[in-house]
Amino acid sequence: MIASLHGEVISKTLTSGVIECGGVGYEFLATATTLAELPLGERGLVLTSMVIGEKSVTLYGFAHDSERTMFSQLQSVQGLGPKLALACLNTYSPSEIAVAVANEDKKTLQKIPGVGARMAAKMTAVLDGKLTEYIDATQAQPCQSAPAVSGSATVIAALVQLGFAEDAAEQAAGVAEERDPSADTGAKLRQALQYLGKR
């Protein structure tokens, strides 16, 4: 079982990265926020979850342990596989998912690509009472899944690093700032990516 990767980040796309460890490049799927935190051409660290399917073995990478544990807990919902679990984390932070489940906020959960009314109902039913640790952690301190530095400049830099043109990144960051000025950098980055995805 591969639990983490630590080495040079040799490649990044909008959905995956490659880290070289001991001369071997390991590809992993990850959220945009995780990939934005990894410096291309420099050493980076990701925590990983290895999913073994019938025809493939896939690594999923996470910047923080809270994301990796949420990734596993989400898959306890029948019909919610690793790809959809990653989509959940690409849309919301672990704390935001936990709050939505605790409040039985199905409309919020349905904003996740691939989550319909039935899946949202399953998520609130199966995960009810199991995600309180994320809510408590959020109330005690800032969400650990977000980058430490806030601000539009950080969002723009992350989008450019992910391959977007600087003018498009600036526009998306501006839209995210207008929608929720008090949001942390991770939330603003997700908003910006959602905006760019609809263009």
Side-chain angles (χ1 to χ4, degrees):
M1 183 69 69
I2 300 173
S4 66
L5 298 173
H6 188 200
E8 182 182 351
V9 182
I10 61 174
S11 175
K12 287 200 308 182
T13 69
L14 296 178
T15 57
S16 66
V18 178
I19 289 181
E20 185 177 279
C21 303
V24 179
Y26 293 88
E27 183 178 26
F28 58 92
L29 302 180
T31 65
T33 50
T34 291
L35 290 165
E37 290 187 56
L38 291 171
L40 187 62
E42 299 179 22
R43 292 183 68 80
L45 169 69
V46 291
L47 306 175
T48 58
S49 177
M50 188 165 65
V51 177
I52 301 174
E54 292 183 5
K55 297 182 179 180
S56 64
V57 176
T58 306
L59 281 176
Y60 292 84
F62 308 93
H64 304 278
D65 192 53
S66 61
E67 296 171 327
R68 182 169 62 176
T69 55
M70 175 63 81
F71 177 76
S72 297
Q73 287 179 301
L74 286 169
Q75 291 177 74
S76 66
V77 180
Q78 185 177 12
L80 201 163
K83 289 185 178 180
L84 186 52
L86 191 66
C88 292
L89 289 166
N90 218 5
T91 307
Y92 298 118
S93 68
S95 60
E96 289 168 335
I97 295 170
V99 169
V101 169
N103 293 334
E104 297 186 9
D105 187 353
K106 300 179 183 67
K107 288 186 178 180
T108 290
L109 294 173
Q110 287 179 65
K111 293 179 182 178
I112 300 168
V115 173
R118 293 179 68 179
M119 179 55 72
K122 279 186 182 181
M123 290 172 69
T124 55
V126 174
L127 299 173
D128 182 39
K130 297 179 180 179
L131 307 179
T132 54
E133 62 185 287
Y134 301 99
I135 301 173
D136 293 341
T138 303
Q139 290 171 342
Q141 58 188 22
C143 179
Q144 296 300 305
S145 64
V149 181
S150 297
S152 295
T154 305
V155 174
I156 293 169
L159 291 171
V160 170
Q161 193 175 33
L162 286 169
F164 291 101
E166 188 170 348
D167 58 345
E170 289 176 354
Q171 184 176 4
V175 170
E177 181 71 26
E178 288 178 8
R179 288 179 179 175
D180 190 354
S182 63
D184 61 34
T185 304
K188 288 178 182 176
L189 179 57
R190 286 188 289 273
Q191 287 274 7
L193 286 165
Q194 288 175 14
Y195 169 77
L196 289 168
K198 293 177 181 177
R199 292 182 63 188

